[in-house]
Amino acid sequence: MKGRVLTPEEEALLREVGVVITVQPGRLIYMKGDPADRVYYILKGRVRIFENLYSGREMTLDVVGAGRMFGESAFAEQGNRPACVQAVNRVTLVSFRMADILPYFGSRTGLALHFLQLCSNTMDYLVDRMEEQCMLDRYGKIASYILARTAPDSEDLGTEGGVLPYTHEELSVSLGLNRSTVTMVLKKFQEEGWLERGYGSLKVLDRRALEEVVERQKNGG
């Protein structure tokens, strides 16, 4: 994922027009179906965007960290939230209404462009996920997901040093795969020396090898 987009001055403006709130780990920020009246920008920490499936399980759609925006459904008036959002760790957010920030777009052209970039980053991520589902098998899906999630070396996301702070169950739900399938693939990757499994996390040891798994499948290999 791409790094921070807004400048410190633009973040300060959001603080001025919005409300800074802190959400404790595990607390819901909003539920699917709630009125979409405010947008959120993360100053520190990370949140999980997820769906409740008919089976009773939860499917993680994205994990969003500092410098990212969520709740874009509030761009349109009288909309509803399409998914649930929950704090992963202690999160500091700016909550704001688009009506309060729009007047500044005319005088600060960079701000408008940066908002578009934040939205574009979200769309790029969703396209990548769709491509994974259509083109890759279980090995490719897991390798691609691990690479994407550990691309930023981020304390906020818990990915410093190539670490992914996910359990096998969290990976299986995020990818829509059986837990046993995820465990089998991760064991294979560890045997190859490409990653190291730990308790509730894994660490990438050979990014190039994982990239080659994905590239071969995308090229029909």
Side-chain angles (χ1 to χ4, degrees):
M1 301 296 291
K2 301 174 179 65
R4 227 172 179 102
V5 173
L6 297 187
T7 66
E9 293 76 17
E10 290 166 346
E11 289 188 359
L13 176 62
L14 287 185
R15 290 173 182 264
E16 182 181 329
V17 303
V19 178
V20 178
I21 59 176
T22 299
V23 184
Q24 298 302 321
R27 294 294 299 273
L28 283 168
I29 297 167
Y30 58 71
M31 292 286 292
K32 180 177 181 178
D34 285 351
D37 54 356
R38 301 185 75 85
V39 184
Y40 297 86
Y41 181 80
I42 304 177
L43 296 170
K44 187 174 182 180
R46 60 186 187 274
V47 304
R48 180 174 72 102
I49 303 170
F50 67 95
E51 277 269 19
N52 288 309
L53 305 179
Y54 290 114
S55 64
R57 301 179 73 198
E58 295 176 350
M59 180 177 181
T60 299
L61 304 174
D62 199 1
V63 176
V64 182
R68 292 281 305 282
M69 185 169 64
F70 66 94
E72 294 95 335
S73 50
F75 286 1
E77 293 184 359
Q78 299 180 339
N80 293 315
R81 300 297 187 188
C84 307
V85 180
Q86 178 186 43
V88 174
N89 54 5
R90 193 171 185 267
V91 184
T92 303
L93 309 166
V94 179
S95 168
F96 62 95
R97 297 183 307 159
M98 285 305 298
D100 294 328
I101 197 69
L102 282 175
Y104 295 92
F105 281 7
S107 59
R108 304 189 183 203
T109 54
L111 178 64
L113 290 173
H114 288 160
F115 262 68
L116 288 173
Q117 184 63 59
L118 287 168
C119 293
S120 175
N121 290 351
T122 300
M123 290 301 298
D124 289 347
Y125 172 79
L126 294 175
V127 169
D128 288 343
R129 291 298 304 275
M130 289 177 63
E131 184 179 65
E132 290 171 6
Q133 294 299 316
C134 295
M135 299 181 63
L136 306 178
D137 67 12
R138 58 189 183 275
Y139 292 95
K141 288 178 181 178
I142 293 173
S144 179
Y145 191 80
I146 291 171
L147 289 168
R149 296 261 62 88
T150 59
D153 193 49
S154 167
E155 179 182 357
D156 287 314
L157 291 173
T159 57
E160 288 181 301
V163 171
L164 183 63
Y166 281 32
T167 64
H168 292 195
E169 179 65 20
E170 288 170 330
L171 274 175
S172 71
V173 172
S174 298
L175 290 162
L177 298 171
N178 291 330
R179 187 184 187 283
S180 58
T181 298
V182 170
T183 298
M184 179 194 69
V185 172
L186 293 180
K187 181 180 179 182
K188 173 66 174 177
F189 288 170
Q190 180 169 274
E191 290 172 348
E192 295 288 345
W194 301 343
L195 59 78
E196 179 179 80
R197 293 184 294 169
Y199 182 74
S201 67
L202 57 87
K203 181 177 182 178
V204 176
L205 302 178
D206 191 338
R207 293 189 68 84
R208 185 56 197 154
L210 294 175
E211 290 168 352
E212 288 176 353
V213 171
V214 177
E215 289 170 4
R216 282 198 302 269
Q217 292 190 20
K218 287 185 176 181
N219 294 327

